[in-house]
Amino acid sequence: VLFLSNNMAADCEQFVRRTAGVVILTGFVLGWFVNQWFFIITAFAGANLIQSTFTGICPPRRVCQWRGSSSEG
């Protein structure tokens, strides 16, 4: 379960971090054990984290807001 806390701003921050961690680890494990092309998932997640620092656009945060949470920052 990715969405547990009662504090909505902290909840959204945890959701974004947890989602990024799950995507990166999933891509790494699949790339290591299944096929090296799965490393593209890890690269995409890293590139998304970097671009979000410049543009402020973060798809997981939008999902979090769509679910009814508010995000500060």
Side-chain angles (χ1 to χ4, degrees):
V1 176
L2 295 176
F3 211 65
L4 295 174
S5 173
N6 289 332
N7 184 345
M8 292 303 192
D11 204 22
C12 194
E13 181 72 23
Q14 287 179 347
F15 176 78
V16 170
R17 290 178 183 211
R18 196 169 291 138
T19 301
V22 167
V23 169
I24 290 170
L25 285 175
T26 300
F28 178 78
V29 169
L30 288 173
W32 189 268
F33 291 110
V34 178
N35 188 324
Q36 66 183 4
W37 286 102
F38 282 109
F39 286 124
I40 292 173
I41 296 171
T42 302
F44 177 76
N48 186 47
L49 288 170
I50 292 170
Q51 74 79 25
S52 71
T53 63
F54 293 111
T55 64
I57 298 170
C58 180
R61 188 170 68 182
R62 289 185 181 198
V63 170
C64 187
Q65 290 170 340
W66 174 74
R67 291 182 66 157
S69 298
S70 63
S71 160
E72 298 173 6

